[in-house]
Amino acid sequence: MSEMDTILDAEERGRTGLWPFWRKPYAKGDPLPAFPAPASRAHRFDEGDPLPEEYKSLLLRMLRHEGERAGNKSFLGLMATCLDLAEALFPDRESKLIKAEYLAEELKHAIMFHRLAVGLERDFALRDVPYAHYSFHLPRETWADDAYFHFFVDLNGAFHSRDWRESSYVPLAKMATTVERDELGHSEMGYHFLQQICSEARGRELAQRLLAKWYPAALDMFGRSDSPNVPKFIRWGLKTIGNAEIRDLYKGYVDRKIAALGLDVPDERRDRKFL
Amino acid sequence: MSAIAEEIRQAYAAVGITLDQPATFGTYYRLLCAGCGRILGHVGDKLLPGMAAEIVSRQGDLYASGLLGCSCGHQKRMQEKPR
């Protein structure tokens, strides 16, 4: 049995009626909106190929933001907070076990991205890169905060992974489908907790208030609409879509889910830091 | 302690929550109840300037109503105190 088969076997044995949360949405078809076809397929690089300087610089920049690497201490620190919150705030034993499955799956990603990093630049594999965006640092003081963190932030990962399916960097394109599916599942996990929280009046009141904190951060995660680097990413085939366009697709997706919880969708310009 | 972490510490101190020492590798801090020491959550030190004070002040009524804060009631009592 290969190392990957061992991981897949462990995943299979961890399945429950709920976990993995990606199973139900994908069973109904593609849960994510359609992305535009890549403008160009002029570039394609595999592990070990010599990379143009600008290409490598942009790819490393993208992977620094992604962060899920076994050798990134700050990623492990973030995971430790998830574990700490699961132990301190969990509403019931089932929710605690679900969070344990989530952590295991994120650590699987850390191994996958570690291999990618080693194949790209060995020194990068052990580089500590704290998450720079404020959304990763917002206070999580309740299970509802933690649920929003997963619903919004993991979904951001799913949207970017969808874009990576078309990446000109072959090792990233190969991983993209798995990472997208898992991250969508993590978002659905957060949504499942939000559904439980919103099923009673006080929970819904809290969720509505906390949404004002998380919604602008979620939209801000896609960066400035006029970022000067985006055309370079697109030209090299590292992205297919600009920040404003992917944000719009994401917003359409989350707005429908928020409304289905019985919550009011906040004004999209309120408290935004990166338009 | 970084300027942002100090800002976070002051913002939470006002509602009866203590910012603990940095957890794990230094980016994240536990939030502890200043009354009983229970873990209430986590916060990271890459918030933007002014953000911590704004978030905490907007949550004042949530601490007062008990929707946020420790089950021991410390933050709720802090909100009831005349300032």
Side-chain angles (χ1 to χ4, degrees):
Chain A
M1 186 182 272
S2 73
E3 285 177 23
M4 200 60 212
D5 287 339
T6 307
I7 292 172
L8 292 173
D9 178 60
E11 277 189 341
E12 286 286 334
R13 284 185 286 115
R15 290 188 174 199
T16 66
L18 286 171
W19 189 267
F21 279 89
W22 53 258
R23 196 167 35 190
K24 281 184 187 169
Y26 280 97
K28 294 176 190 163
D30 186 351
L32 294 180
F35 276 39
S40 160
R41 292 183 197 272
H43 307 288
R44 191 169 171 82
F45 300 100
D46 209 337
E47 187 176 307
D49 290 346
L51 302 179
E53 196 175 318
E54 183 180 65
Y55 183 90
K56 188 173 179 181
S57 162
L58 291 168
L59 180 56
L60 283 169
R61 184 188 175 97
M62 180 183 267
L63 293 172
R64 278 199 301 272
H65 283 288
E66 199 285 331
E68 292 179 339
R69 280 179 292 110
N72 181 10
K73 287 194 293 186
S74 291
F75 168 70
L76 299 178
L78 175 65
M79 289 299 102
T81 68
C82 291
L83 182 60
D84 212 26
L85 290 176
E87 287 184 315
L89 305 178
F90 72 97
D92 52 59
R93 290 182 65 81
E94 187 185 45
S95 302
K96 196 175 177 182
L97 181 61
I98 287 170
K99 285 302 291 280
E101 294 294 345
Y102 158 79
L103 282 155
E105 201 156 80
E106 288 292 23
L107 295 178
K108 179 188 80 178
H109 294 178
I111 296 170
M112 294 166 77
F113 278 102
H114 168 73
R115 295 260 70 91
L116 187 141
V118 169
L120 181 61
E121 184 178 292
R122 291 189 171 189
D123 285 350
F124 179 61
L126 278 180
R127 197 170 301 162
D128 178 32
V129 185
Y131 285 100
H133 198 276
Y134 74 85
S135 57
F136 286 90
H137 297 263
L138 286 175
R140 285 176 282 160
E141 298 176 51
T142 63
W143 197 248
D145 274 319
D146 200 50
Y148 273 130
F149 175 79
H150 292 301
F151 172 54
F152 284 127
V153 178
D154 289 274
L155 185 66
N156 176 285
F159 271 67
H160 284 302
S161 300
R162 165 56 58 93
D163 201 25
W164 292 340
R165 284 194 192 192
E166 303 293 339
S167 176
S168 57
Y169 193 60
V170 174
L172 189 57
K174 281 181 180 171
M175 291 165 49
T177 304
T178 300
V179 177
E180 173 204 304
R181 178 199 73 184
D182 292 348
E183 297 295 352
L184 191 284
H186 302 167
S187 176
E188 284 293 304
M189 173 190 74
Y191 193 72
H192 167 76
F193 293 139
L194 286 168
Q195 285 174 314
Q196 290 181 328
I197 291 162
C198 290
S199 66
E200 52 95 23
R202 268 175 73 83
R204 196 162 51 250
E205 183 189 347
L206 177 65
Q208 183 70 61
R209 290 291 302 279
L210 295 177
L211 184 58
K213 176 172 74 178
W214 288 98
Y215 188 76
L219 297 183
D220 274 345
M221 284 191 80
F222 291 94
R224 295 187 192 283
S225 298
D226 60 354
S227 166
N229 283 322
V230 169
K232 296 179 201 166
F233 278 107
I234 292 176
R235 196 173 63 241
W236 281 114
L238 288 167
K239 289 185 178 182
T240 67
I241 186 169
N243 292 351
E245 291 76 22
I246 194 170
R247 183 185 0 259
D248 281 349
L249 292 174
Y250 175 92
K251 182 181 176 308
Y253 180 98
V254 298
D255 284 0
R256 281 190 294 278
K257 303 275 284 187
I258 292 166
L261 289 171
L263 302 176
D264 297 327
V265 177
D267 180 341
E268 67 177 294
R269 298 186 71 86
R270 188 172 177 198
D271 292 334
R272 293 284 303 287
K273 312 297 181 194
F274 304 107
L275 290 168
Chain B
M1 186 176 273
S2 72
I4 292 291
E6 175 58 23
E7 206 177 279
I8 296 168
R9 189 192 66 76
Q10 288 182 20
Y12 274 103
V15 293
I17 294 174
T18 304
L19 192 69
D20 198 9
Q21 295 301 306
T24 321
F25 299 111
T27 314
Y28 295 96
Y29 295 71
R30 270 181 178 165
L31 297 167
L32 306 176
C33 174
C36 70
R38 185 170 167 255
I39 299 172
L40 298 182
H42 272 270
V43 62
D45 66 6
K46 300 283 184 289
L47 294 180
L48 301 176
M51 195 174 261
E54 191 179 329
I55 289 170
V56 174
S57 71
R58 281 187 185 178
Q59 292 180 167
D61 62 320
L62 297 177
Y63 295 117
S65 67
L67 280 169
L68 283 183
C70 188
S71 54
C72 80
H74 181 69
Q75 291 72 37
K76 189 174 182 180
R77 286 191 295 277
M78 289 280 290
Q79 292 296 317
E80 287 162 358
K81 277 184 189 171
R83 300 190 179 200

